[in-house]
Amino acid sequence: MILQSIAMFLVPMLLSLAVTPAVITLAHRIGALDIPDERKIHTHPTPRLGGVAIFLSFCLSFLLLRTFDVSLFLHWFALEHQFLYFGIAITIVVCLGVLDDIRGLSPFQKSVVQFIAGTIIYAA
């Protein structure tokens, strides 16, 4: 059990350390940068898309850990369709974040999409 707990900590941490630099490079390539202005405290353009790194680390960790020991996740997700709903909702929220980072969305638009994602979770 201790080895499983260590793996559940180390795998996501190592994956996020590996994925984050790639996402930072991607943010620079596509121009997803937060440009400093009079309202910002940072002085250099700051890459956005941090949610993508977290999302990828989570998904890859789940797949890797589940491959090695399915029983680790059975208590979290009793039924496969519940996990599917959760995956759909979290993917919607990540896509919302990417769109907001690249284009910028109004608070109303973000609220509507978050409400939809929450409704999907509730339906599970």
Side-chain angles (χ1 to χ4, degrees), residues 9-23:
F9 172 76
L10 285 179
V11 170
M13 182 186 76
L14 294 173
L15 281 170
S16 71
L17 288 172
V19 168
T20 300
V23 172

Side-chain angles (χ1 to χ4, degrees), residues 6 24 38 43 75 86 89-90 95 99 101 109 115:
I6 292 170
I24 289 171
E38 65 276 353
T43 56
H75 66 280
F86 176 75
I90 198 169
C95 291
L99 279 174
D101 286 347
Q109 291 169 318
F115 178 80

Side-chain angles (χ1 to χ4, degrees), residues 17-114:
L17 288 172
V19 168
T20 300
V23 172
I24 289 171
T25 301
L26 175 66
H28 280 285
R29 277 200 188 137
I30 66 172
L33 301 171
D34 190 22
I35 306 300
D37 60 20
E38 65 276 353
R39 293 180 12 178
K40 310 275 172 73
I41 60 171
H42 57 279
T43 56
H44 302 289
T46 304
R48 294 180 173 189
L49 303 180
V52 173
I54 294 168
F55 177 72
L56 290 174
S57 298
F58 172 79
C59 291
L60 292 172
S61 298
F62 180 81
L63 291 173
L64 283 173
L65 292 170
R66 185 173 180 184
T67 300
F68 291 117
D69 188 357
V70 176
S71 67
L72 284 174
F73 298 97
L74 290 180
H75 66 280
W76 286 359
F77 304 106
L79 301 171
E80 285 296 320
H81 77 277
Q82 288 177 330
F83 178 70
L84 178 65
Y85 286 138
F86 176 75
I88 290 168
I90 198 169
T91 301
I92 288 170
V93 171
V94 168
C95 291
L96 172 70
V98 169
L99 279 174
D100 187 42
D101 286 347
I102 293 172
R103 288 189 191 167
L105 300 174
S106 73
F108 177 76
Q109 291 169 318
K110 290 187 275 190
S111 295
V112 168
V113 174
Q114 289 170 352

